[in-house]
Amino acid sequence: MNVRTLFLRVGISCFAIIPRAEAADAAPMAATVNTLVIHADRGRDTISRNIYGQFSEHLGQGIYDGIWVGEDSPIPNTRGIRNDVVAALKKIEVPVLRWPGGCFADEYHWKDGIGPAEKRPAIINTTWGGVVENNHFGTHEFMDFCGQIGAAPCVCGNVGSGTVQEMMGWVEYISSDADSPLANLRRQNGRADPWPLPFFAIGNENWGCGGNMTPEFYADNFLRYNTFVKDYPGNKVYRVACGASDYDYHWTDVLMQRAAKQIDGLSLHYYTVPTGDWSHKGSATEFTEAEWHETLRRALKIDELVTKHAAIMDKYDPKKRVGLIVDEWGVWHDVDPGSNPGFLRQQNSLRDALVAGVSLNIFNRHCDRVKMANIAQMINVLQSMILTDKEKMIVTPTYYVFELYTVHHDATLLPSELHAADYVVGGEKIPAVSASVSRDPAGTIHVTFCNLDLNRSAEVACELQGAKANQLSGRVLTAPEMNAHNTFDNPNAVAPVEFLAFKSTADGFSATLPPKSVVLVAVK
Ligand code: AHR
C-alpha cells in the first residue's frame, strides 16, 4: 500500500494522519463537524469558465523556456511551442489566457514582436531582471499558442508608455479583415484571416508600474484609449479597464463613476503574501503550521475584497453588466533559493493548492459579478500550473486543483449555505471548510470542498434540497506533509486519487474530508 492509499484509507475512517512512527502513542484528533445546505432547486447564475483563466507574462521563464523553445530546439515542439506544455494545459481546459503582462504590458511595443524573428529588435525587460528580450514570441506566436491549447486570447495593451495610435493599430492588426495597411502587414507576416480578439485590456496596474496614475487621470485615459479600440466587422471586443489593487475602493469608485458605461470588465489584483511583508514573503516549501494558517487566512480575504468592490460596482451598475475581472491573483512567495530574484520562480506545495481551492470556491460563489479571473502565472512564475527545466516538465498541486474544478466551467452555481467549524491557530480563527456547488448541463451536481485544517478531518453533512443523491463519486488531492510538492525527481508526490469517504443520507449525503485536502464530489 503506498502512502497516498494509506492516507486515503485513514481519511475514510475519520482518523487524522499520523506518521507511522508516532501512530502507537498519539491519539487521533476528532473530526470537525460541518454542514452544507445545497439549494439544487435555486440555480440561477452561470460560473463563467473564464474564472479558470491564466496569465502569462514576459517574465523570467514564463514565456521563454516555459512555452517557447523555438523551432530548432531539441525539445519537441510545434512551430516553436513546447508539445509537453500544450498537452498538459489542454487537460485543464484553459479558457482564456492574458498576455503579455503585467507590468511588461505597459512597456511592450507590439510592432517589435512581428515579422521575421531575426529582424525583430531586442529590448531590455526593465521590470523583470533587466534581461534582453529578443521578441521571438510576439503576437503571431501568442495567437498560435492560444489556438494550440484552446484558450481565448486576452491581450493587454500599453497605456503607460504607448500611444493611442499604437493601441488602435494593434487591434486592427489582429482583428480586421479590411484591405488596410495593418491587416495587409499581418497577411504579409503569414496570417491571412484576422484572429478573434474577444478580450482587450486597456493597460495594467496603471496606479503603479503602468504609469503611477491617479484614478481620475487613468479614467480619462481609459476613455480616450478605449475610444480607438474598434470593433472590426465580425469581432466584438470585451474591454477590461485597469482596476484596483487590494483594498483600494476609491479606485473602483472613481472608475465606475466616470467610465462604467464604456467598461465591460473592471480588474482587481490581489496577491496572497504569506507573511504580509513584501520584503520577506516566506519560503514556498519551508513553513510552520502558523504560516500555513496565516497564508490561508490571507487568501480568504479575497472574499471580503470581492464583496466590497462588487458593492461599489452595484451602486453604479445594479444590473451587474460590468464584470469584476480578477486578472491577477495567487500566492507570492520568496523566489526559489539561488534563482534570479527578477524571475519570480517559486515552488508550489499542497498549501498553494489549498489557496487555489478556496479562492476558486470564492470566485464561483461570486459568479454573478466575477466574470473572469487569471491566476498569476501559468508557467515557471509565481503560483504556476507547470514548472519546466530544459526538456523536463512537471505539473504542480495547483494544476490539479484546476483539473478537479473543470467541472464548474460554465455550470450553474447552486446557492449553498456552509456552516463550518473553526480552525484556530495562535488565537486566529478561520473556517475549517470551504465549498462551492454547481450543476452541469447533464444534471450532475459537483461540490468542491477544501479542508483547511492540517490535523483534523472534516465531516460535512450535506442536505440536498430539490435533488437526490443516487450515485456518488469523487477525487481527492492531499499528501502526508503540508509542504509536499512535486519535483523533477519526484513528479507525483502530490496528485489526485479516487475519493470514497462519502455516503448517502436521508436528506443528501455526507463526506469525510481528510485534513489539508481539496475534494471533488460528483452527485448524480
Ligand atoms: O505577476 C507579476 C506582477 O505583479 C505583474 O507584472 C504586475 O501586474 C503585478 O504587480
Side-chain angles (χ1 to χ4, degrees):
M1 196 187 295
N2 67 26
V3 179
R4 270 214 316 279
T5 315
L6 169 69
F7 183 64
L8 183 66
R9 300 264 169 95
V10 173
I12 291 166
S13 322
C14 314
F15 291 102
I17 270 299
I18 301 160
R20 278 174 191 279
E22 294 164 29
D25 30 283
M29 293 178 77
T32 60
V33 177
N34 311 271
T35 61
L36 181 70
V37 178
I38 300 169
H39 300 282
D41 45 358
R42 286 196 357 217
R44 187 193 62 190
D45 299 314
T46 299
I47 298 174
S48 171
R49 65 183 189 282
N50 295 326
I51 284 177
Y52 294 85
Q54 304 274 334
F55 167 38
S56 270
E57 180 166 11
H58 287 244
L59 193 180
Q61 298 166 303
I63 302 282
Y64 301 105
D65 298 344
I67 297 171
W68 180 256
V69 287
E71 285 181 85
D72 299 332
S73 169
I75 298 173
N77 68 83
T78 302
R79 296 181 293 280
I81 292 166
R82 293 181 74 125
N83 293 344
D84 51 357
V85 162
V86 168
L89 292 171
K90 278 165 102 168
K91 289 193 193 142
I92 58 169
E93 299 171 28
V94 178
V96 58
L97 179 60
R98 177 175 186 253
W99 171 86
C103 293
F104 183 76
D106 282 281
E107 63 179 60
Y108 183 62
H109 300 282
W110 66 273
K111 282 193 176 166
D112 291 347
I114 57 168
E118 65 286 358
K119 292 208 175 134
R120 297 185 192 177
I123 59 161
I124 300 171
N125 188 334
T126 62
T127 314
W128 303 119
V131 293
V132 172
E133 156 70 57
N134 65 17
N135 277 306
H136 284 191
F137 190 91
T139 304
H140 290 248
E141 292 75 21
F142 170 65
M143 292 296 182
D144 188 9
F145 179 54
C146 285
Q148 290 192 35
I149 64 172
C154 177
V155 173
C156 188
N158 180 344
V159 171
S161 70
T163 64
V164 175
Q165 184 186 25
E166 182 182 7
M167 185 179 288
M168 183 178 181
W170 201 6
V171 174
E172 180 187 334
Y173 183 88
I174 293 172
S175 63
S176 167
D177 202 18
D179 182 12
S180 69
L182 284 174
N184 286 334
L185 180 59
R186 183 194 67 236
R187 293 184 185 101
Q188 193 185 311
N189 287 332
R191 172 78 187 190
D193 293 333
W195 290 282
L197 182 61
F199 303 102
F200 194 87
I202 319 282
N204 167 75
E205 295 196 351
N206 301 94
W207 37 261
C209 65
N212 282 307
M213 302 176 191
T214 62
E216 292 79 8
F217 184 74
Y218 171 73
D220 291 347
N221 271 284
F222 168 81
L223 291 169
R224 178 166 169 246
Y225 278 71
N226 181 56
T227 305
F228 301 95
V229 170
K230 303 290 181 184
D231 286 332
Y232 292 97
N235 190 68
K236 175 103 184 78
V237 176
Y238 182 99
R239 292 125 200 282
V240 181
C242 165
S245 169
D246 307 347
Y247 302 90
D248 187 354
Y249 300 114
H250 177 62
W251 184 281
T252 299
D253 201 286
V254 173
L255 263 289
M256 289 301 290
Q257 195 207 340
R258 293 198 173 201
K261 284 206 179 77
Q262 279 75 27
I263 296 175
D264 295 318
L266 181 61
S267 76
L268 170 67
H269 288 185
Y270 178 66
Y271 285 98
T272 298
V273 175
T275 58
D277 173 0
W278 281 91
S279 62
H280 171 64
K281 298 177 275 297
S283 160
T285 53
E286 300 302 320
F287 50 87
T288 61
E289 178 170 9
E291 288 166 311
W292 162 282
H293 186 276
E294 179 62 6
T295 304
L296 290 167
R297 192 184 71 78
R298 289 177 181 277
L300 289 166
K301 283 271 168 203
I302 202 156
D303 199 358
E304 174 190 334
L305 285 170
V306 168
T307 304
K308 291 189 174 163
H309 284 287
I312 296 167
M313 294 172 80
D314 285 348
K315 244 186 356 178
Y316 301 97
D317 175 36
K319 294 198 171 142
K320 301 186 193 289
R321 186 193 62 78
V322 181
L324 184 59
I325 309 294
V326 191
D327 56 12
E328 289 188 26
W329 68 275
V331 191
W332 195 319
H333 299 293
D334 287 339
V335 297
D336 279 354
S339 67
N340 185 328
F343 282 12
L344 310 187
R345 185 174 172 116
Q346 63 189 40
Q347 247 298 354
N348 191 298
S349 75
L350 183 61
R351 176 176 58 161
D352 301 274
L354 266 293
V355 170
V358 301
S359 304
L360 292 168
N361 280 341
I362 290 167
F363 300 152
N364 287 348
R365 284 175 166 276
H366 286 281
C367 70
D368 60 336
R369 187 59 92 173
V370 176
K371 299 297 177 191
M372 188 193 293
N374 309 74
I375 189 169
Q377 297 193 8
M378 192 156 71
I379 305 171
N380 291 332
V381 176
L382 299 177
Q383 190 177 352
S384 60
M385 307 298 112
I386 288 176
L387 293 170
T388 65
D389 180 13
K390 302 185 190 72
E391 77 290 352
K392 293 185 240 160
M393 184 206 84
I394 54 173
V395 301
T396 64
T398 298
Y399 170 95
Y400 285 122
V401 174
F402 275 75
E403 188 192 70
L404 292 178
Y405 281 54
T406 52
V407 293
H408 290 308
H409 292 200
D410 288 339
T412 303
L413 177 78
L414 296 182
S416 59
E417 284 125 36
L418 174 68
H419 294 282
D422 290 331
Y423 171 34
V424 187
V425 173
E428 286 281 359
K429 268 187 215 170
I430 56 174
V433 173
S434 142
S436 67
V437 191
S438 70
R439 178 170 30 222
D440 72 12
T444 304
I445 294 173
H446 292 105
V447 190
T448 44
F449 296 103
C450 302
N451 182 4
L452 286 62
D453 197 310
L454 262 190
N455 308 303
R456 295 189 294 170
S457 53
E459 300 274 10
V460 192
C462 301
E463 180 187 334
L464 267 176
Q465 295 189 350
K468 288 215 165 355
N470 296 320
Q471 200 187 321
L472 295 161
S473 59
R475 293 177 78 206
V476 54
L477 183 73
T478 186
E481 307 295 337
M482 64 181 173
N483 64 346
H485 53 277
N486 297 334
T487 63
F488 295 101
D489 293 332
N490 186 9
N492 300 312
V494 189
V497 293
E498 191 180 10
F499 177 71
L500 295 168
F502 47 66
K503 58 176 190 276
S504 298
T505 57
D507 57 4
F509 69 98
S510 70
T512 304
L513 318 175
K516 52 179 165 17
S517 65
V518 180
V519 172
L520 164 68
V521 174
V523 186
K524 290 191 182 176

